[in-house]
Amino acid sequence: MNHRRALRAAVTIAVTGALAAGMTMTLTSTASAGTTLRASAAEKGRYFGAAVATGKLSTSVYATILNREFNSVVAENEMKWDATEPQQGRFSYTGGDRLVSHAQANGMSVRGHALLWHQQQPGWAQGMSGSALRNAAINHVTQVATHFRGKIHSWDVVNEAFADGGSGGRRDSNLQRTGNDWIEAAFRAARAADPGAKLCYNDYNTDGINAKSTGIYNMVRDFKSRGVPIDCVGFQSHLGTSLAGDYQANLQRFADLGVDVQITELDVMTGGNQANIFGAVTRACMNVSRCTGITVWGVRDCDSWRGSDNALLFDCNGNKKAAYTNVLNALNAGPAIPTDPPTDPPTDPPTDPPTTPPPGTGGCSASVSLNSWTGGFVATVKVTAGSAGTNGWNVGVTLASGASVTNTWSATASGSTGTVRFTNVDYNGRLGAGQVTEFGFQGTGSGAGITPTCTAS
């Protein structure tokens, strides 16, 4: 989200129950209730964050509220493509690094926003298309995620790629025109660059069960079934004077796919329902065990991109509004995230279908699946142990002329062109008879003709 773009239409589904106009709700806080948003959220195993413009960190009232109330931050603009790569191949991390340093000094986690988005692209990228844009986009993901590796809790890998309206389909953009697999390629590149970060898809007007949210749901379900690395879905929740009656049910259906859900850009138009809506969104998150946190898009009303909507929890003087009290009460009254989080449900079809061990007394075999586009590819290699199992394995591939390996995960690569050999890392070399593991690599050029061979040790 960016304060520069026009205010979007709010969800129009009528508010129900406790949100009815004029109705108020009082929640009794627990004996160990937190007295700040960050303390209360942390007690329940969650974060409560705010979008930050680093230029405002020197404003006393702003910084005081931020440091006292929030245990997570996200950059409003400092980590977007136009800010981090203003010229192709020349990266600038000044703003992002400043935010990370502030977070580390104040016990906050950091959400990364956003690696790829059809808006706020630098001018040089706006003029690109086809394989040149695809390669530039994947390189951008790789370089930025690598720079911040180990410092980011969750990345919005792709932002707002689905169209509004009733189609449930993708938004037309220069990125989409590079091929329908561009989102998958971005997630695979992000996982390779920072294996420890949660990888999220983020969008707006997805607050209830509608055509757009269902299109995203179908994409996430497909990704999970094929082993594409997606960990979370972000719901922006820029709200007006009502909230979808199926808001919580929508969060839950995504969580049931085996991904975390996060409220990523919450703000609510001022008016009689503002406090109630803020409270209801917080309760919905608390009631979904895989809802790991909430981020409001700004600190004070005068910091909001929504101008006169006065859409946040603090007024411009730093005073807490009624919405703040409702949110704090909802955090204190809600359940904690279970100590043993739910496991991902079985995929259909399974990510790793049963494999018949190859004949013989030892050895291993390897097979590859390719996700290719003009100018690049991602290869996923499946290694299957023979009947004697393995203590380690070595897989060789011969690349087409002009092709090159640029990233590798779950293996160590020797070489990058011609014949490249991949060996296991410490956690996936020892396999029992018939057991399977996977590694992957990203490359430029053509992936055609790759036929892996496996040697066991």
Side-chain angles (χ1 to χ4, degrees):
M1 174 54 63
N2 175 5
H3 62 278
R4 291 180 237 169
R5 67 188 185 219
L7 176 62
R8 295 163 171 145
V11 176
T12 57
I13 299 175
V15 71
T16 59
L19 294 182
M23 180 177 290
T24 60
M25 176 171 287
T26 302
L27 295 173
T28 303
S29 57
T30 63
S32 61
T35 58
T36 64
L37 301 175
R38 66 180 289 162
S40 182
E43 286 177 1
K44 303 304 172 68
R46 294 173 168 88
Y47 66 81
F48 202 96
V52 172
T54 55
K56 295 179 181 178
L57 290 174
S58 57
T59 302
S60 176
V61 173
Y62 183 98
T64 297
I65 297 171
L66 178 68
N67 296 343
R68 182 188 72 223
E69 297 289 344
F70 301 100
N71 61 350
S72 171
V73 290
V74 61
E76 283 195 48
N77 294 295
E78 288 85 346
M79 291 188 183
K80 291 173 181 170
W81 196 348
D82 59 350
T84 52
E85 194 180 4
Q87 299 178 49
Q88 187 173 11
R90 298 183 65 180
F91 292 83
S92 175
Y93 300 112
T94 303
D97 286 345
R98 183 181 178 191
L99 183 63
V100 168
S101 295
H102 184 90
Q104 291 175 337
N106 291 279
M108 302 168 172
S109 63
V110 182
R111 294 195 78 256
H113 177 81
L115 291 173
L116 291 181
W117 184 30
H118 67 281
Q119 293 194 32
Q120 285 187 249
Q121 296 178 8
W124 61 265
Q126 295 173 31
M128 280 185 168
S129 61
S131 60
L133 177 61
R134 172 66 71 92
N135 290 335
I138 297 303
N139 182 65
H140 178 78
V141 170
T142 299
Q143 297 300 325
V144 175
T146 297
H147 175 82
F148 291 107
R149 181 172 179 162
K151 301 175 181 178
I152 301 295
H153 174 278
S154 306
W155 265 115
D156 290 333
V157 178
V158 171
N159 193 47
E160 301 177 5
F162 277 73
D164 292 316
S167 70
R170 299 282 185 87
R171 177 191 300 275
D172 180 49
S173 69
N174 60 348
L175 291 166
Q176 179 63 28
R177 290 190 291 273
T178 69
N180 200 55
D181 62 337
W182 74 274
I183 298 178
E184 176 176 344
F187 273 84
R188 292 192 184 278
R191 174 66 87 232
D194 188 354
K198 296 278 190 179
L199 306 183
C200 307
Y201 176 81
N202 189 55
D203 217 322
Y204 69 97
N205 280 355
T206 56
D207 306 299
I209 298 174
N210 55 36
K212 184 174 184 179
S213 63
T214 298
I216 296 166
Y217 175 90
N218 290 336
M219 178 190 73
V220 175
R221 182 174 60 183
D222 170 62
F223 280 10
K224 293 294 289 185
S225 73
R226 294 189 294 110
V228 178
I230 185 168
D231 305 306
C232 41
V233 176
F235 299 80
Q236 292 186 14
S237 297
H238 297 289
L239 301 172
T241 57
S242 61
L243 180 70
D246 53 3
Y247 186 89
Q248 180 177 320
N250 190 42
L251 298 180
Q252 187 64 60
R253 70 168 176 159
F254 278 87
D256 290 343
L257 292 176
V259 293
D260 292 341
V261 293
Q262 302 172 353
I263 314 303
T264 55
E265 304 186 16
L266 178 62
D267 46 32
V268 182
M269 183 180 294
T270 191
N273 268 348
Q274 184 185 62
N276 290 328
I277 292 172
F278 265 111
V281 169
T282 306
R283 288 191 296 276
C285 177
M286 300 299 285
N287 289 335
V288 176
S289 63
R290 294 197 74 144
C291 186
T292 57
I294 298 173
T295 300
V296 290
W297 202 254
V299 175
R300 303 167 299 171
D301 285 340
C302 50
D303 305 314
S304 171
W305 68 287
R306 295 180 63 167
S308 62
D309 279 355
N310 294 324
L312 295 173
L313 300 176
F314 297 87
D315 68 21
C316 289
N317 294 320
N319 298 311
K320 301 171 184 176
K321 296 162 60 176
Y324 173 95
T325 302
N326 278 19
V327 168
L328 183 63
N329 287 344
L331 290 171
N332 283 329
I337 290 179
T339 304
D340 296 318
T343 56
D344 291 358
T347 55
D348 184 16
T351 303
D352 295 318
T355 303
T356 302
T361 58
C364 57
S365 61
S367 60
V368 64
S369 60
L370 287 175
N371 175 25
S372 300
W373 58 89
T374 303
F377 62 92
V378 169
T380 301
V381 181
K382 180 178 292 185
V383 176
T384 304
S387 58
T390 68
N391 291 319
W393 46 262
N394 184 300
V395 172
V397 301
T398 300
L399 302 178
S401 176
S404 177
V405 173
T406 56
N407 288 298
T408 303
W409 53 96
S410 299
T412 301
S414 176
S416 61
T417 60
T419 299
V420 182
R421 303 210 67 85
F422 300 88
T423 55
N424 62 274
V425 289
D426 57 359
Y427 58 81
N428 64 359
R430 186 179 296 274
L431 302 174
Q435 284 190 330
V436 173
T437 191
E438 287 186 345
F439 71 91
F441 60 95
Q442 178 184 335
T444 57
S446 173
I450 291 177
T451 304
T453 60
C454 186
T455 304
S457 58

